[in-house]
Amino acid sequence: MQIQLINNQFDSDMKSLEWNASTYNKIKESVEKPITVIDKTKIPQWKFCTVKGKKRCTDNMDSTNVLILDFDDAGYTYQEFEHQFQEYQYILHTSYSYNGQNSKFRVLLFLDKEYEINKMFFKSETLIFSPYNYLLNHFQHVDPASFVKAQFFKVPAVANENAPYYYSIHSGKLFNLFDIPGYQIAYIGCEDHEKEQKKQRMAKYAVMKTQFNGDMTNAINYVKRKMEEAPSGLRHNAIFGLAAWFSKVGGDYQTFSRIRPSWADKTFDKQIKRLEKEWDKIGTK
């Protein structure tokens, strides 16, 4: 196991430390004695995992045996967490924005083995094959950002030496994710299920692409009409949905990008530009 460090929330160059007794002691020391930082954007961040490259990105995340849980729910206190998970090994510390009364804290929950991050936090529309949803249901008060694959978290820090701060380094057994009902099946089967779903979608889209017999006039007119009808506030989703549909039925990006509703603005132009890089993918989702 390793610890990945970045200088701040804007940094993407990971620095790796091997997990051993010395680094674990340094982790405990950093929790016991949080750093003082005036500007929270400059707080270093960490993630406990092995990686496949040096840049912070989803594709480079490998495996982990530490689940970081971020809590910011007024209806759930760190005392409640301590009671609920008293049999497990964890490190808990309050967040930078903790004021002594709010419920802002973070937990390093130690796991029984290393889990592949891609499968651990995998999202699927088929809920029984969605480990992400099982985690959300089990840790009901957690911030969903805890289960973002490349999410890093600020190291323990306070704004000044008098700022309220609490920590607990708790001994106990290691947490087994497979003890969460349904999680093991989802974790083991999610990638194969997604491959099968994609195969079925591709077969369906292959049929869809034949319906216009090469003449996209009706499809273009449909997109024009729907773009014009898109209500303010929902236009971003409408454009993405129309782009996905147009791609599925055989439309190309160049043709789609020339369709411009009367309400088009700079935000619309930026979205259309972003679609160019995603065009080959959106038609398969």
PDB file of all heavy atoms in Angstrom, residues 29-54:
ATOM      1  N   GLU A  29       0.885  11.120  13.794  1.00  0.00           N
ATOM      2  CA  GLU A  29       1.408  12.397  14.281  1.00  0.00           C
ATOM      3  C   GLU A  29       0.720  13.579  13.603  1.00  0.00           C
ATOM      4  O   GLU A  29       0.420  14.588  14.242  1.00  0.00           O
ATOM      5  CB  GLU A  29       2.917  12.469  14.029  1.00  0.00           C
ATOM      6  CG  GLU A  29       3.569  13.727  14.580  1.00  0.00           C
ATOM      7  CD  GLU A  29       5.072  13.751  14.363  1.00  0.00           C
ATOM      8  OE1 GLU A  29       5.634  12.686  14.031  1.00  0.00           O
ATOM      9  OE2 GLU A  29       5.673  14.825  14.524  1.00  0.00           O
ATOM     10  N   SER A  30       0.436  13.443  12.291  1.00  0.00           N
ATOM     11  CA  SER A  30      -0.230  14.524  11.567  1.00  0.00           C
ATOM     12  C   SER A  30      -1.667  14.706  12.044  1.00  0.00           C
ATOM     13  O   SER A  30      -2.220  15.803  11.962  1.00  0.00           O
ATOM     14  CB  SER A  30      -0.219  14.242  10.058  1.00  0.00           C
ATOM     15  OG  SER A  30      -1.087  13.175   9.716  1.00  0.00           O
ATOM     16  N   VAL A  31      -2.273  13.622  12.528  1.00  0.00           N
ATOM     17  CA  VAL A  31      -3.628  13.701  13.069  1.00  0.00           C
ATOM     18  C   VAL A  31      -3.604  14.303  14.475  1.00  0.00           C
ATOM     19  O   VAL A  31      -4.449  15.128  14.836  1.00  0.00           O
ATOM     20  CB  VAL A  31      -4.280  12.302  13.092  1.00  0.00           C
ATOM     21  CG1 VAL A  31      -5.620  12.337  13.831  1.00  0.00           C
ATOM     22  CG2 VAL A  31      -4.482  11.787  11.672  1.00  0.00           C
ATOM     23  N   GLU A  32      -2.633  13.904  15.252  1.00  0.00           N
ATOM     24  CA  GLU A  32      -2.507  14.411  16.623  1.00  0.00           C
ATOM     25  C   GLU A  32      -2.103  15.887  16.661  1.00  0.00           C
ATOM     26  O   GLU A  32      -2.516  16.633  17.556  1.00  0.00           O
ATOM     27  CB  GLU A  32      -1.481  13.580  17.385  1.00  0.00           C
ATOM     28  CG  GLU A  32      -1.900  12.136  17.597  1.00  0.00           C
ATOM     29  CD  GLU A  32      -0.751  11.258  18.067  1.00  0.00           C
ATOM     30  OE1 GLU A  32       0.418  11.683  17.944  1.00  0.00           O
ATOM     31  OE2 GLU A  32      -1.018  10.138  18.543  1.00  0.00           O
ATOM     32  N   LYS A  33      -1.310  16.299  15.661  1.00  0.00           N
ATOM     33  CA  LYS A  33      -0.832  17.675  15.605  1.00  0.00           C
ATOM     34  C   LYS A  33      -1.108  18.260  14.219  1.00  0.00           C
ATOM     35  O   LYS A  33      -0.222  18.300  13.358  1.00  0.00           O
ATOM     36  CB  LYS A  33       0.663  17.722  15.905  1.00  0.00           C
ATOM     37  CG  LYS A  33       1.029  17.165  17.274  1.00  0.00           C
ATOM     38  CD  LYS A  33       2.545  17.127  17.461  1.00  0.00           C
ATOM     39  CE  LYS A  33       2.919  16.530  18.805  1.00  0.00           C
ATOM     40  NZ  LYS A  33       4.398  16.456  18.977  1.00  0.00           N
ATOM     41  N   PRO A  34      -2.346  18.696  13.970  1.00  0.00           N
ATOM     42  CA  PRO A  34      -2.694  19.210  12.640  1.00  0.00           C
ATOM     43  C   PRO A  34      -1.886  20.465  12.295  1.00  0.00           C
ATOM     44  O   PRO A  34      -1.517  21.236  13.177  1.00  0.00           O
ATOM     45  CB  PRO A  34      -4.188  19.527  12.776  1.00  0.00           C
ATOM     46  CG  PRO A  34      -4.386  19.776  14.241  1.00  0.00           C
ATOM     47  CD  PRO A  34      -3.455  18.819  14.926  1.00  0.00           C
ATOM     48  N   ILE A  35      -1.603  20.643  11.016  1.00  0.00           N
ATOM     49  CA  ILE A  35      -0.861  21.827  10.581  1.00  0.00           C
ATOM     50  C   ILE A  35      -1.772  23.057  10.633  1.00  0.00           C
ATOM     51  O   ILE A  35      -2.997  22.951  10.574  1.00  0.00           O
ATOM     52  CB  ILE A  35      -0.306  21.646   9.149  1.00  0.00           C
ATOM     53  CG1 ILE A  35      -1.448  21.383   8.149  1.00  0.00           C
ATOM     54  CG2 ILE A  35       0.702  20.516   9.105  1.00  0.00           C
ATOM     55  CD1 ILE A  35      -0.987  21.341   6.698  1.00  0.00           C
ATOM     56  N   THR A  36      -1.169  24.216  10.760  1.00  0.00           N
ATOM     57  CA  THR A  36      -1.914  25.475  10.757  1.00  0.00           C
ATOM     58  C   THR A  36      -1.741  26.139   9.399  1.00  0.00           C
ATOM     59  O   THR A  36      -0.616  26.411   8.967  1.00  0.00           O
ATOM     60  CB  THR A  36      -1.402  26.413  11.862  1.00  0.00           C
ATOM     61  OG1 THR A  36      -1.578  25.775  13.128  1.00  0.00           O
ATOM     62  CG2 THR A  36      -2.176  27.725  11.846  1.00  0.00           C
ATOM     63  N   VAL A  37      -2.860  26.388   8.723  1.00  0.00           N
ATOM     64  CA  VAL A  37      -2.846  26.988   7.385  1.00  0.00           C
ATOM     65  C   VAL A  37      -3.952  28.033   7.318  1.00  0.00           C
ATOM     66  O   VAL A  37      -5.122  27.730   7.601  1.00  0.00           O
ATOM     67  CB  VAL A  37      -3.065  25.932   6.280  1.00  0.00           C
ATOM     68  CG1 VAL A  37      -2.987  26.580   4.904  1.00  0.00           C
ATOM     69  CG2 VAL A  37      -2.057  24.799   6.393  1.00  0.00           C
ATOM     70  N   ILE A  38      -3.612  29.247   6.935  1.00  0.00           N
ATOM     71  CA  ILE A  38      -4.608  30.323   6.871  1.00  0.00           C
ATOM     72  C   ILE A  38      -5.507  30.159   5.649  1.00  0.00           C
ATOM     73  O   ILE A  38      -6.726  30.297   5.736  1.00  0.00           O
ATOM     74  CB  ILE A  38      -3.908  31.694   6.850  1.00  0.00           C
ATOM     75  CG1 ILE A  38      -3.149  31.916   8.152  1.00  0.00           C
ATOM     76  CG2 ILE A  38      -4.930  32.812   6.637  1.00  0.00           C
ATOM     77  CD1 ILE A  38      -2.336  33.188   8.188  1.00  0.00           C
ATOM     78  N   ASP A  39      -4.910  29.849   4.524  1.00  0.00           N
ATOM     79  CA  ASP A  39      -5.646  29.689   3.263  1.00  0.00           C
ATOM     80  C   ASP A  39      -5.894  28.202   3.021  1.00  0.00           C
ATOM     81  O   ASP A  39      -4.958  27.450   2.733  1.00  0.00           O
ATOM     82  CB  ASP A  39      -4.843  30.295   2.115  1.00  0.00           C
ATOM     83  CG  ASP A  39      -5.583  30.249   0.779  1.00  0.00           C
ATOM     84  OD1 ASP A  39      -6.662  29.630   0.719  1.00  0.00           O
ATOM     85  OD2 ASP A  39      -5.055  30.814  -0.201  1.00  0.00           O
ATOM     86  N   LYS A  40      -7.154  27.783   3.116  1.00  0.00           N
ATOM     87  CA  LYS A  40      -7.452  26.349   3.003  1.00  0.00           C
ATOM     88  C   LYS A  40      -7.139  25.770   1.629  1.00  0.00           C
ATOM     89  O   LYS A  40      -6.978  24.559   1.483  1.00  0.00           O
ATOM     90  CB  LYS A  40      -8.908  26.073   3.376  1.00  0.00           C
ATOM     91  CG  LYS A  40      -9.945  26.612   2.416  1.00  0.00           C
ATOM     92  CD  LYS A  40     -11.349  26.216   2.863  1.00  0.00           C
ATOM     93  CE  LYS A  40     -12.414  26.685   1.899  1.00  0.00           C
ATOM     94  NZ  LYS A  40     -13.774  26.280   2.341  1.00  0.00           N
ATOM     95  N   THR A  41      -7.086  26.629   0.595  1.00  0.00           N
ATOM     96  CA  THR A  41      -6.765  26.124  -0.748  1.00  0.00           C
ATOM     97  C   THR A  41      -5.313  25.660  -0.827  1.00  0.00           C
ATOM     98  O   THR A  41      -4.930  25.005  -1.800  1.00  0.00           O
ATOM     99  CB  THR A  41      -7.015  27.197  -1.826  1.00  0.00           C
ATOM    100  OG1 THR A  41      -6.107  28.294  -1.633  1.00  0.00           O
ATOM    101  CG2 THR A  41      -8.446  27.702  -1.761  1.00  0.00           C
ATOM    102  N   LYS A  42      -4.518  26.010   0.177  1.00  0.00           N
ATOM    103  CA  LYS A  42      -3.101  25.634   0.172  1.00  0.00           C
ATOM    104  C   LYS A  42      -2.808  24.427   1.052  1.00  0.00           C
ATOM    105  O   LYS A  42      -1.643  24.062   1.251  1.00  0.00           O
ATOM    106  CB  LYS A  42      -2.251  26.828   0.607  1.00  0.00           C
ATOM    107  CG  LYS A  42      -2.331  28.012  -0.364  1.00  0.00           C
ATOM    108  CD  LYS A  42      -1.454  29.171   0.096  1.00  0.00           C
ATOM    109  CE  LYS A  42      -1.542  30.324  -0.908  1.00  0.00           C
ATOM    110  NZ  LYS A  42      -0.702  31.471  -0.476  1.00  0.00           N
ATOM    111  N   ILE A  43      -3.851  23.807   1.593  1.00  0.00           N
ATOM    112  CA  ILE A  43      -3.654  22.634   2.444  1.00  0.00           C
ATOM    113  C   ILE A  43      -3.266  21.433   1.573  1.00  0.00           C
ATOM    114  O   ILE A  43      -3.955  21.127   0.591  1.00  0.00           O
ATOM    115  CB  ILE A  43      -4.932  22.306   3.233  1.00  0.00           C
ATOM    116  CG1 ILE A  43      -5.317  23.487   4.129  1.00  0.00           C
ATOM    117  CG2 ILE A  43      -4.744  21.047   4.075  1.00  0.00           C
ATOM    118  CD1 ILE A  43      -6.651  23.303   4.836  1.00  0.00           C
ATOM    119  N   PRO A  44      -2.203  20.728   1.902  1.00  0.00           N
ATOM    120  CA  PRO A  44      -1.857  19.506   1.162  1.00  0.00           C
ATOM    121  C   PRO A  44      -2.991  18.478   1.269  1.00  0.00           C
ATOM    122  O   PRO A  44      -3.788  18.521   2.203  1.00  0.00           O
ATOM    123  CB  PRO A  44      -0.590  19.014   1.869  1.00  0.00           C
ATOM    124  CG  PRO A  44      -0.033  20.223   2.550  1.00  0.00           C
ATOM    125  CD  PRO A  44      -1.221  21.038   2.963  1.00  0.00           C
ATOM    126  N   GLN A  45      -3.032  17.578   0.309  1.00  0.00           N
ATOM    127  CA  GLN A  45      -4.074  16.553   0.299  1.00  0.00           C
ATOM    128  C   GLN A  45      -3.439  15.175   0.153  1.00  0.00           C
ATOM    129  O   GLN A  45      -2.336  15.039  -0.371  1.00  0.00           O
ATOM    130  CB  GLN A  45      -5.076  16.814  -0.829  1.00  0.00           C
ATOM    131  CG  GLN A  45      -5.796  18.147  -0.697  1.00  0.00           C
ATOM    132  CD  GLN A  45      -6.988  18.250  -1.635  1.00  0.00           C
ATOM    133  OE1 GLN A  45      -7.293  17.348  -2.411  1.00  0.00           O
ATOM    134  NE2 GLN A  45      -7.694  19.363  -1.560  1.00  0.00           N
ATOM    135  N   TRP A  46      -4.181  14.160   0.594  1.00  0.00           N
ATOM    136  CA  TRP A  46      -3.667  12.802   0.501  1.00  0.00           C
ATOM    137  C   TRP A  46      -4.740  11.818   0.056  1.00  0.00           C
ATOM    138  O   TRP A  46      -5.931  12.085   0.108  1.00  0.00           O
ATOM    139  CB  TRP A  46      -3.034  12.355   1.812  1.00  0.00           C
ATOM    140  CG  TRP A  46      -3.917  12.359   3.049  1.00  0.00           C
ATOM    141  CD1 TRP A  46      -5.287  12.477   3.118  1.00  0.00           C
ATOM    142  CD2 TRP A  46      -3.460  12.239   4.411  1.00  0.00           C
ATOM    143  NE1 TRP A  46      -5.705  12.432   4.426  1.00  0.00           N
ATOM    144  CE2 TRP A  46      -4.611  12.292   5.249  1.00  0.00           C
ATOM    145  CE3 TRP A  46      -2.216  12.092   5.007  1.00  0.00           C
ATOM    146  CZ2 TRP A  46      -4.536  12.192   6.638  1.00  0.00           C
ATOM    147  CZ3 TRP A  46      -2.146  11.991   6.386  1.00  0.00           C
ATOM    148  CH2 TRP A  46      -3.295  12.055   7.193  1.00  0.00           C
ATOM    149  N   LYS A  47      -4.262  10.672  -0.383  1.00  0.00           N
ATOM    150  CA  LYS A  47      -5.131   9.544  -0.731  1.00  0.00           C
ATOM    151  C   LYS A  47      -4.313   8.285  -0.462  1.00  0.00           C
ATOM    152  O   LYS A  47      -3.117   8.238  -0.766  1.00  0.00           O
ATOM    153  CB  LYS A  47      -5.575   9.593  -2.188  1.00  0.00           C
ATOM    154  CG  LYS A  47      -6.634   8.546  -2.556  1.00  0.00           C
ATOM    155  CD  LYS A  47      -7.094   8.736  -3.989  1.00  0.00           C
ATOM    156  CE  LYS A  47      -8.196   7.736  -4.352  1.00  0.00           C
ATOM    157  NZ  LYS A  47      -9.460   8.024  -3.646  1.00  0.00           N
ATOM    158  N   PHE A  48      -4.949   7.269   0.097  1.00  0.00           N
ATOM    159  CA  PHE A  48      -4.254   6.039   0.471  1.00  0.00           C
ATOM    160  C   PHE A  48      -4.537   4.970  -0.579  1.00  0.00           C
ATOM    161  O   PHE A  48      -5.587   4.326  -0.565  1.00  0.00           O
ATOM    162  CB  PHE A  48      -4.709   5.589   1.859  1.00  0.00           C
ATOM    163  CG  PHE A  48      -4.402   6.603   2.930  1.00  0.00           C
ATOM    164  CD1 PHE A  48      -5.214   7.712   3.118  1.00  0.00           C
ATOM    165  CD2 PHE A  48      -3.286   6.464   3.737  1.00  0.00           C
ATOM    166  CE1 PHE A  48      -4.927   8.663   4.093  1.00  0.00           C
ATOM    167  CE2 PHE A  48      -2.991   7.402   4.714  1.00  0.00           C
ATOM    168  CZ  PHE A  48      -3.810   8.504   4.893  1.00  0.00           C
ATOM    169  N   CYS A  49      -3.593   4.805  -1.501  1.00  0.00           N
ATOM    170  CA  CYS A  49      -3.809   3.836  -2.583  1.00  0.00           C
ATOM    171  C   CYS A  49      -2.523   3.644  -3.376  1.00  0.00           C
ATOM    172  O   CYS A  49      -1.604   4.464  -3.319  1.00  0.00           O
ATOM    173  CB  CYS A  49      -4.925   4.311  -3.519  1.00  0.00           C
ATOM    174  SG  CYS A  49      -4.528   5.835  -4.409  1.00  0.00           S
ATOM    175  N   THR A  50      -2.476   2.557  -4.128  1.00  0.00           N
ATOM    176  CA  THR A  50      -1.434   2.397  -5.131  1.00  0.00           C
ATOM    177  C   THR A  50      -1.939   3.040  -6.418  1.00  0.00           C
ATOM    178  O   THR A  50      -3.154   3.212  -6.611  1.00  0.00           O
ATOM    179  CB  THR A  50      -1.107   0.915  -5.372  1.00  0.00           C
ATOM    180  OG1 THR A  50      -2.323   0.214  -5.715  1.00  0.00           O
ATOM    181  CG2 THR A  50      -0.498   0.285  -4.138  1.00  0.00           C
ATOM    182  N   VAL A  51      -1.011   3.404  -7.291  1.00  0.00           N
ATOM    183  CA  VAL A  51      -1.383   4.099  -8.524  1.00  0.00           C
ATOM    184  C   VAL A  51      -0.661   3.494  -9.718  1.00  0.00           C
ATOM    185  O   VAL A  51       0.314   2.753  -9.578  1.00  0.00           O
ATOM    186  CB  VAL A  51      -1.066   5.611  -8.425  1.00  0.00           C
ATOM    187  CG1 VAL A  51      -1.964   6.293  -7.400  1.00  0.00           C
ATOM    188  CG2 VAL A  51       0.406   5.843  -8.082  1.00  0.00           C
ATOM    189  N   LYS A  52      -1.149   3.848 -10.916  1.00  0.00           N
ATOM    190  CA  LYS A  52      -0.583   3.331 -12.161  1.00  0.00           C
ATOM    191  C   LYS A  52       0.242   4.383 -12.903  1.00  0.00           C
ATOM    192  O   LYS A  52       0.820   4.100 -13.945  1.00  0.00           O
ATOM    193  CB  LYS A  52      -1.708   2.830 -13.070  1.00  0.00           C
ATOM    194  CG  LYS A  52      -2.589   1.770 -12.432  1.00  0.00           C
ATOM    195  CD  LYS A  52      -3.775   1.443 -13.315  1.00  0.00           C
ATOM    196  CE  LYS A  52      -4.706   0.447 -12.653  1.00  0.00           C
ATOM    197  NZ  LYS A  52      -5.915   0.163 -13.470  1.00  0.00           N
ATOM    198  N   GLY A  53       0.249   5.602 -12.377  1.00  0.00           N
ATOM    199  CA  GLY A  53       0.993   6.695 -12.993  1.00  0.00           C
ATOM    200  C   GLY A  53       1.170   7.817 -11.990  1.00  0.00           C
ATOM    201  O   GLY A  53       0.691   7.739 -10.853  1.00  0.00           O
ATOM    202  N   LYS A  54       1.827   8.889 -12.396  1.00  0.00           N
ATOM    203  CA  LYS A  54       2.150   9.971 -11.469  1.00  0.00           C
ATOM    204  C   LYS A  54       1.129  11.104 -11.465  1.00  0.00           C
ATOM    205  O   LYS A  54       1.133  11.937 -10.567  1.00  0.00           O
ATOM    206  CB  LYS A  54       3.538  10.531 -11.801  1.00  0.00           C
ATOM    207  CG  LYS A  54       4.664   9.531 -11.557  1.00  0.00           C
ATOM    208  CD  LYS A  54       6.028  10.148 -11.813  1.00  0.00           C
ATOM    209  CE  LYS A  54       7.138   9.145 -11.536  1.00  0.00           C
ATOM    210  NZ  LYS A  54       8.494   9.733 -11.768  1.00  0.00           N
TER     211      LYS A  54
END
